[in-house]
């Protein structure tokens, strides 16, 4: 079995030979593909980095000039009672002494994360300003020239029509970090190159054999090696980038290794998985390459924010500063000592409301969806297609639109619901004035927009039930109800249960409806957990508290999912 | 006589569902009709009569909404964001779903669970950190930022849906293609993708809707009016400072129309594409 | 023309299951090999390893004397017909057949020619523009065959290609495949459950059981000289009767009746270490036995002298009661149970199947004498393996 014979010896070349021969046998396609991707992506990364660099350079320059005159150039427009002005900005060379701000309406421009924001001006009008990059250029002396546009949004009319604006620009935030782009682009490039290599290059890897132990070891080393080689320029680049930046931005040295390790982690994982599995089946590797793009993007944009959020829940936020408070948020929330049990802000009260909200919605969705699907699935029903098309409409309408419309419909004075009631001789109800009224409004809105999903799922599941089961039941003398109970329901279960579970998770976190329809009225009583958390975050600015709140929501859902897992498994056994 | 009686019984048997379906469909359609009515009235108030059928036909609201200076920019933003989200979301979830459906590798169960768990992440927990990450990447006020966020929110559901569908494609077909000389890419593009068209259509529809209908994140990440997607603007019509119901209704119709069209076109696939892969987990 | 060699091929699935063990097989170019065996014995696994759809865990596969273990399926020059046909549902018949050719970058004109030629040969020309779902099972099967043939592969692999067809179509296709094979002379591997297919189509048959080869040989070789008890019972229909017997000094004790063996046979058996008094399994095919009515026994007695001159026969015949009769028109299958003394429990539980000519009249419930010729019997070791003794 282990006798080495001629052909297998031919395969025991060195690593480089292997790769080269693999590429050769695939006609260089892989190499070209990888190179093109690499070029494109590094180009992109470089461009982005340059752009950010430029932005920083520009900022630095503005900071030096300090003052600039903004000459209004009116183009007024009324949008509702919002007033919009376009102001053009001509940077001017100022002498060092004229550090004085001369202005009519604005005192200073302050850097914020969102761009440039105007501080409280003296006349107490409230402004929101956005810089828009227009044509700008640096001249030979390094001065900024060109035209920038500043959009001012004011909530008040009657501002002076012409005013001069002197802006003090300061970059208080550290400039953005281009190295991340290097890392990201490098990662993606690397991934695509690997992908290409696996697919175009090394098909001979895809079957490994115990007689080929040596070869397996070779290839198990070749990848980590390659990983390190391809990663090292990236790491060096990032380090250089950080070191060059260090002096002027005050970023700590400790970040260097951090960044480097960040770049290395995915590669290390890949290399390790490589090493572990090389002897076994290399289909793992193929699978990982297929998973990689999704893992990367979901990792960066879902799991990183999630972890950040978890971190946030242990901190208190006050005016831009975060302080560690440990578990105190959780203790606060769960002990609910600040409010009595029936107070809308009490956690358990809100939890009860949420559970009520979820349960009633799921029951309504499922029962309405199921019965409509059963009706629509009847043989020989005319206009089936039209009914189905019309009944799907609520699903197709964006839910914030639905929510706003229904909010209008439940309005006490001009709402249509009350007009209906008036016809029936019932006094107009103040829907948002009572807890039950508000909940009724919320639930009916959500039912309206949620049942089509269940209907469609049920319809699909119904269609997949073999007709001969019913025929068999009919021959066995089963009544319609009996065959529904003993055939339809059990066979629907495997498709319906997951839909119900997912639906309940979505409903549990259904922000839009509650926030827009009842808005928590009266007095926050109709808020569910997620809207409550939102209020803590954005109306009270208690980010940490809100994060802790959200985390608790997450754990409740997780527990729920665990609980239901067994149910689904049981249901699937029926099916298989 | 008896035959005519059984016939009429049969008729009743045939037609009684209409007795339920017809009124129900009406009730369900009424809010939609009201929106249409509001859009076709010149007035901006909500005050309506109960009759859901439009009594006036003025296109003023539509014209006003569409002639706003930033309308085209914002609509274009929306289209651009949604299209890119669909493309990226579907492509990424395709490859991941394929791996999850066809390969058994360490971490597969974990991956599947992780995708499911993301559905439970509360938006409020994610928003602030997400803002930081996007800011970190320098993608605020940029279409790319929204596209990234939307596609990653859409991916988990898409992966599950597609994985379920891929599971139903017999392995032999792929093996046959492999023997016929197809490389992995040919296999993927010429066999798997065409075979899963219904599921892909549904998945694409969902990713499109994720992007097209979203406004909270868009309002958070986009500070420049020129970078708004249309829902952000639409939302402002009935915001805190103004209530222009006519404009809102017209805009709502403009926004919903494409999605509704897609729903009608993809109706058949929707029924098949959701179940065969389905939400079945 | 392609030769294939399997050297000690083995397959171990990731869950540790050994589906195929140490399979050695040398296939001449143009040979038609049938792989048979009970369900789950590893036939498909072997075929898939040859195709490159499963990794080979141990051993070596040589195609044209070149190691092919690591080659991708597409580089092995194989074409496969699956049990489920595995037609591409989204492509028309024409596209299905042309798919592989297109991937080979063959010029379109040539593709068209080839597709049409193959379609004509398999009588599916009028169906070329249909989709798979618009065809019957038999038609699909033909398309699957056409798809494999159009590629002009070095090796054909068939995985139970006919098992989804009805008996008549199957017979038809069998003839068709024989014809094609004579024409194309391509090395082929054919997995089947159906012995008739294996016997009629194959040049050689490989019989597997639980991943281990039991016998490799020409179909008649397997039938006439089964290598062990398993092969003997697996090949042939109805299956061979197996009787537990005891070796005596000059013959066997079968169900209380003495059967004398030729000295050559006896020597042969004793040479393999079986001693007098030890059990031996006796196999005899149903069609090589005959039933004699009791009243005919006298006649038989008269003839017995002559008979004994020709071959050694059962001294008296085994007394059996006829329990069931299946008249099939061309033949009659009889199920009998030996009548023995009460203490010989073991043999009284045995069921014997006898195949008689259709014109023999027998009656259910009657008692007959069962006899057969010594030259037709197969003797196997009574242990678990049941190796053939003579
Ligand atoms: N992926 C797998 N993992 C583990 N064991 C497997 C796998 N595939 C097949 N087996 C096992 O290997 C054995 C051989 O399977 P194989 O498909 O070759 O049988 P077969 O001879 O083709 O049977 P059949 O005639 O029913 O098609 C079976 O016992 C099966 O349970
Ligand atoms: Mg098989």
């Amino acid at each position: 079995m282990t006798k080495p014979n001629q052909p297998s010896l031919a395969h025991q070349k060195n690593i480089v030979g292997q790769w080269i021969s693999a590429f050769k046998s695939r006609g260089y396609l892989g190499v070209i593909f990888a190179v093109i991707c690499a070029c494109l992506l590094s180009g992109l990364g470089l461009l982005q980095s340059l752009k950010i660099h430029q932005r920083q350079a520009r900022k630095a320059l503005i900071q030096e000039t300090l003052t600039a005159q903004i000459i209004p150039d009116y183009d007024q427009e009324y949008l509702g009672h919002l007033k919009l002005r376009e102001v053009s900005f001509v940077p001017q060379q100022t002498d060092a002494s004229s550090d004085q701000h001369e202005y009519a309406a604005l005192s200073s421009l302050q850097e914020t994360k969102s761009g440039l924001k105007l501080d409280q001006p003296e006349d107490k009008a409230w402004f929101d300003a956005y810089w828009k990059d227009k044509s700008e250029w640096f001249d030979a002396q390094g001065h900024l020239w060109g035209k920038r546009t500043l959009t001012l949004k004011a909530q008040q009319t009657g501002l002076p029509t012409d005013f001069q604006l002197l802006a003090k620009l300061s970059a208080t935030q550290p400039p953005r970090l281009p190295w991340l782009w290097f890392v990201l682009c490098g990662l993606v490039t690397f991934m695509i190159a690997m992908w290409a290599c696996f697919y175009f290059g090394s098909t001979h890897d895809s079957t490994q054999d115990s007689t080929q132990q040596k070869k397996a070891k070779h290839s198990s080393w070749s990848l980590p090696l390659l990983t390190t080689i391809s990663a090292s320029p990236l790491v060096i680049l990032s380090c250089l980038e950080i070191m060059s930046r260090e002096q002027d931005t005050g970023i700590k040295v400790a970040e260097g290794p951090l960044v480097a390790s960040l770049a290395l982690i995915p590669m290390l994982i890949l290399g390790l998985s490589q090493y572990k599995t090389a002897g076994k089946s290399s289909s793992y590797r193929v699978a990982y390459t297929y998973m990689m793009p999704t893992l990367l993007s979901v990792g960066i944009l879902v799991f990183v924010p999630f972890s950040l959020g978890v971190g946030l829940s242990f901190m208190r936020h006050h005016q831009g500063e975060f302080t560690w408070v440990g578990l105190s948020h959780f203790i606060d929330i769960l002990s609910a000592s600040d409010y009595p049990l029936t107070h809308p802000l009490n956690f358990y009260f809100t939890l009860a409301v949420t559970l009520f909200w979820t349960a009633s919605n799921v029951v309504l969705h499922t029962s309405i969806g199921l019965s409509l699907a059963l009706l629509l699935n009847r043989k020989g029903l005319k206009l089936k297609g039209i009914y189905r098309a019309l009944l799907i409409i609520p699903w197709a309408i964006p839910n914030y639109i639905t929510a706003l419309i229904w909010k209008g419909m439940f309005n006490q004075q001009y709402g249509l619901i009350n007009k209906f009631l008036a016809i029936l001789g019932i006094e107009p109800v103040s829907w948002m004035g009572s807890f039950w009224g508000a909940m009724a409004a919320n639930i009916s809105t959500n039912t309206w927009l949620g049942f089509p999903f269940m209907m469609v799922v049920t319809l699909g599941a119904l269609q997949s039930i073999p007709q001969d089961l019913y025929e068999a039941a009919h021959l066995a003398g089963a009544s319609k109800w009996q065959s529904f109970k003993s055939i339809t329901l059990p066979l629907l279960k495997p498709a319906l249960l997951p839909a119900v579970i997912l639906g309940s998770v979505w409903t549990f976190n259904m922000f839009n409806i509650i926030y827009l329809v009842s808005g928590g009225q009266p007095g926050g009583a109709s808020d569910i957990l997620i809207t409550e958390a939102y209020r803590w975050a954005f109306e009270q600015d208690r980010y940490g508290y809100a994060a802790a709140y959200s985390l608790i929501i997450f754990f409740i859902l997780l527990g729920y999912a665990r609980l239901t897992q067994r149910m689904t498994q049981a249901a699937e056994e029926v099916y298989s | 006589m008896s035959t005519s009686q059984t016939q009429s019984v049969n008729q009743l048997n045939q037609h009684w569902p209409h007795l339920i379906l017809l009124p129900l469909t009406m009730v369900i359609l009424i809010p939609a009709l009201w929106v249409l009515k509001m859009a076709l009235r010149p007035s901006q108030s909500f005050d309506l009569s109960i009759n859901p059928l439009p009594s006036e036909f003025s296109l003023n609201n539509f014209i006003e909404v569409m002639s706003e200076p930033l309308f085209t920019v914002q609509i274009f933003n929306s289209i651009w964001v949604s299209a890119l989200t669909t493309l990226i979301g579907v492509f990424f979830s395709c490859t991941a779903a394929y791996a999850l459906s066809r390969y058994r590798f360490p971490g597969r169960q974990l991956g599947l669970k992780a995708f499911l768990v993301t559905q439970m992440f509360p938006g409020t927990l994610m928003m602030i950190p997400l803002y930081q990450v996007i800011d970190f990447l320098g993608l605020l006020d940029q279409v790319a930022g929204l596209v990234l966020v939307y596609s990653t929110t859409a991916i988990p559901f898409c992966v599950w849906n597609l994985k379920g569908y891929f599971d139903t494609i017999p392995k032999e077909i792929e093996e046959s293609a492999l023997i016929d000389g197809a490389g992995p890419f040919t296999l993927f593009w010429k066999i798997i993708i065409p075979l899963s068209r219904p599921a892909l259509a549904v998945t694409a529809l969902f990713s499109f809707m994720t992007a097209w209908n979203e406004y909270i994140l868009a309002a958070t990440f986009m500070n420049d009016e020129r970078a708004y997607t249309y829902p952000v603007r639409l939302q402002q019509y009935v915001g805190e400072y103004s209530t222009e119901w006519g404009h809102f209704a017209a805009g709502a119709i403009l926004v919903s129309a494409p999605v509704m069209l897609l729903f009608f076109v993809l109706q058949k696939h929707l029924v098949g594409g959701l179940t065969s892969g389905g939400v079945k987990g | 023309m392609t030769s294939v060699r399997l050297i000690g091929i083995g397959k171990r699935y990731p869950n540790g299951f050994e589906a195929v063990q140490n399979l050695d097989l040398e296939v001449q170019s143009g040979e038609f090999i049938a792989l048979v065996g009970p369900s789950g014995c590893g036939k498909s696994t072997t075929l898939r390893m040859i195709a490159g759809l499963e990794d080979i865990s141990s051993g070596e596969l040589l195609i044209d004397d070149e190691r092919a273990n690591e080659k991708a399926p597409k580089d092995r020059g194989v074409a496969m017909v699956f049990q489920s046909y595995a037609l591409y549902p989204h492509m028309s018949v024409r596209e299905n057949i042309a798919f592989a050719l297109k991937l080979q970058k063959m010029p379109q004109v040539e593709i068209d020619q080839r597709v049409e030629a193959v379609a004509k040969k398999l009588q599916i020309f009028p169906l070329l523009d249909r989709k798979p779902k618009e065809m019957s099972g038999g038609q699909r099967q033909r398309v699957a065959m056409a798809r494999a043939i159009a590629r002009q592969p070095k090796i054909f692999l068939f995985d139970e290609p006919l098992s989804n067809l009805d008996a008549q179509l199957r017979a038809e296709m069998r003839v068709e495949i024989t014809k094609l094979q004579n024409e194309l002379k391509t090395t082929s591997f054919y997995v089947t459950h159906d012995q008739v297919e294996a016997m009629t189509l194959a040049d050689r048959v490989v019989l597997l059981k639980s991943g281990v080869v039991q016998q490799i040989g020409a179909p008649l070789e397997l039938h006439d000289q089964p290598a062990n008890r398993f092969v003997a019972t697996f090949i042939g229909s109805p299956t061979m009767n197996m009787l537990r017997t005891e070796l005596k000094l000059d013959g066997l004790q079968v169900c209380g009746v003495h059967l004398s063996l030729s000295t050559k046979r006896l020597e042969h058996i004793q040479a393999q270490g079986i001693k007098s008094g030890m059990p031996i399994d006796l196999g005899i095919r149903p069609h090589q036995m005959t039933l004699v009515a009791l009243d005919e026994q006298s006649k038989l007695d008269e003839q017995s002298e002559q008979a004994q001159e020709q071959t050694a026969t059962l001294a008296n015949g085994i007394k059996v009661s006829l329990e069931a009769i299946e008249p099939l028109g061309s033949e009659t299958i009889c199920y009998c149970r030996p009548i023995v003394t009460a203490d010989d429990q073991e043999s009284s539980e045995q069921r014997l199947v006898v195949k008689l000519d259709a014109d023999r009249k027998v009656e259910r419930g009657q008692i007959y004498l069962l006899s057969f010729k010594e030259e037709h019997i197969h003797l196997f070791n009574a242990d678990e393996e049941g190796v053939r003794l003579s």
Side-chain angles (χ1 to χ4, degrees), chain A residues 297-357:
Chain A
S297 57
V298 172
I300 292 175
L301 286 161
V302 177
F303 287 99
V304 167
F306 178 74
S307 327
L308 287 177
V310 172
L312 212 59
S313 66
F314 298 109
M315 295 195 244
R316 194 207 320 274
H317 170 255
H318 184 67
Q319 296 192 338
E321 272 181 48
F322 289 93
T323 39
W324 182 263
V325 295
L327 285 172
S328 78
H329 286 320
F330 294 95
I331 295 167
D332 266 11
I333 295 166
L334 292 176
S335 67
S337 49
D338 293 352
Y339 308 100
L341 201 60
T342 49
H343 191 279
L345 286 181
N346 183 297
F347 172 78
Y348 296 101
F349 180 83
T350 316
L351 178 63
V353 172
T354 313
L355 291 179
F356 169 68
W357 153 258

Side-chain angles (χ1 to χ4, degrees), chain A residues 171-250:
Chain A
T172 55
Q173 256 209 338
R176 296 202 172 81
L177 310 163
W179 54 263
L180 201 76
W181 279 99
F182 275 118
V183 174
L184 276 185
C185 293
L187 265 183
V188 178
T189 312
F190 173 72
M191 184 195 82
I192 289 177
M194 293 261 290
W195 199 0
C197 290
F198 289 140
Y199 277 100
F200 294 110
S202 55
T203 30
H204 68 270
D205 268 2
S206 68
T207 43
Q208 265 155 10
D209 179 299
S210 54
T211 60
Q212 297 260 310
Q213 282 291 325
K214 272 188 192 160
K215 192 195 134 230
K217 260 200 193 122
H218 270 309
S219 76
S220 76
W221 280 112
S222 74
L223 261 152
L225 201 77
L226 220 88
T227 315
T228 325
I229 294 171
S230 60
S232 49
L234 278 171
V235 176
I236 294 169
L237 259 176
S238 328
C239 288
L240 281 180
E241 163 69 27
I242 287 161
M243 279 179 345
S244 70
R245 211 154 33 78
E246 205 183 316
Q247 297 95 9
D248 43 279
T249 53

Side-chain angles (χ1 to χ4, degrees), chain B residues 68-85:
Chain B
E68 263 189 38
L70 291 179
F71 176 81
T72 39
V73 177
Q74 287 163 348
I75 280 281
F76 185 74
N77 279 343
S78 262
I79 294 173
W80 188 223
V81 167
S82 313
L84 280 178
T85 302

Side-chain angles (χ1 to χ4, degrees), chain C residues 11-170:
Chain C
K11 175 70 193 179
R12 177 193 273 271
Y13 278 110
N15 62 2
F17 185 80
E18 299 250 9
V20 177
Q21 287 163 38
N22 206 12
L23 172 63
D24 283 308
L25 179 63
E26 203 157 319
V27 182
Q28 310 300 325
S29 107
E31 215 175 351
F32 196 107
I33 300 290
L35 291 164
V36 292
S39 185
C41 70
K43 307 179 297 279
S44 300
T45 307
T46 310
L47 204 67
R48 291 162 56 80
M49 283 195 287
I50 298 173
L53 297 173
E54 290 296 346
D55 292 353
I56 297 171
S57 323
S58 61
E60 196 161 46
L61 171 70
L62 302 184
I63 295 177
D64 275 336
D65 294 325
E66 198 183 316
R67 183 183 161 100
N69 283 32
E70 286 81 21
K71 279 193 179 171
K74 59 177 175 174
D75 301 327
R76 298 188 185 197
V78 297
M80 189 156 169
V81 179
F82 291 84
Q83 181 176 1
S84 60
Y85 312 142
L87 300 178
Y88 310 124
H90 58 297
M91 297 183 191
S92 69
V93 171
R94 186 188 295 278
E95 289 164 332
N96 260 288
I97 300 176
F99 184 67
L101 305 180
K102 261 194 199 129
L103 291 177
Q104 287 169 14
K105 307 247 162 31
M106 192 182 275
Q108 189 60 44
V109 188
E110 204 174 322
I111 293 181
D112 288 344
Q113 276 172 0
R114 251 214 229 171
V115 169
E116 278 165 26
V118 171
K120 277 188 188 130
K121 193 184 284 173
L122 284 167
Q123 294 138 42
I124 47 169
F125 191 73
L127 309 175
L128 273 182
D129 292 311
R130 290 210 201 161
K131 288 267 173 71
K133 63 165 177 274
E134 299 159 345
M135 293 188 298
S136 73
Q139 289 166 335
R140 280 181 218 183
Q141 210 283 326
R142 277 164 190 276
V143 174
M145 295 283 294
R147 188 171 66 174
I149 291 168
R151 286 184 52 200
Q152 306 184 344
K154 292 200 283 187
I155 304 167
F156 275 126
L157 304 171
F158 300 93
D159 194 351
E160 306 186 26
L162 305 184
S163 60
N164 285 348
L165 303 182
D166 63 42
Q168 198 181 345
L169 256 175
R170 211 184 297 180

